[in-house]
Amino acid sequence: MRYGTFLITLVALVLVAAATPLRAQEQTEFYQQKERWGVGLQAGLMSGMGLAARFHPQGRFGFQLAGGAFKGSGDMIGDIGIEGQFDFDLDGRNRFYGFVGMGLYTNGEDGDDKLDGPFRAGFGLAYDWAFARTMVFSTSLGLTYFTDGVFLPLPQVGLYYIFD
């Protein structure tokens, strides 16, 4: 009886050991086996707020464009931003990366901008968490420079649908 238990345990361990490298290789190659696209929403005061599009070619680099226009009861608010991303660590669809970005924000009508620092630029760290096969939640913290001379650490969040 002990011999049978030992043999079953040994076979199970060999199968797990043989399958682990394949699974690890499959997970780490998600962004490296082919280019990936993403569309979604982003909220942030550095590299755009509103609709967002992502492009991640094979490798460790990625790009994002975000922007939108909003009209409430007051003035028109608009923005456009761009971000470059470099992956530090990949774990399947999850990734930890650094980014640099910039954005232009407006608040006003007919060129009468009410913002003191409409142009922003900065860099920071971010993490994408894939909570479903095609959905990614992104959170980031960037040190942001405003054109009026202010530096602030500002968070950004996003929700994206990732596809080939």
Side-chain angles (χ1 to χ4, degrees), residues 28-40:
T28 57
E29 290 182 353
F30 179 76
Y31 286 103
Q32 296 185 5
Q33 59 186 237
K34 63 169 122 176
E35 63 187 34
R36 306 291 178 175
W37 290 87
V39 292

Side-chain angles (χ1 to χ4, degrees), residues 1 32 102:
M1 186 70 166
Q32 296 185 5
M102 62 183 154

Side-chain angles (χ1 to χ4, degrees), residues 25-73:
Q25 181 181 8
E26 175 186 309
Q27 284 192 358
T28 57
E29 290 182 353
F30 179 76
Y31 286 103
Q32 296 185 5
Q33 59 186 237
K34 63 169 122 176
E35 63 187 34
R36 306 291 178 175
W37 290 87
V39 292
L41 299 171
Q42 175 170 304
L45 294 175
M46 186 185 79
S47 59
M49 182 182 319
L51 296 176
R54 286 182 161 190
F55 174 63
H56 196 295
Q58 284 180 293
R60 293 192 167 274
F61 288 99
F63 308 95
Q64 178 175 292
L65 181 66
F70 312 96
K71 174 82 171 163
S73 60

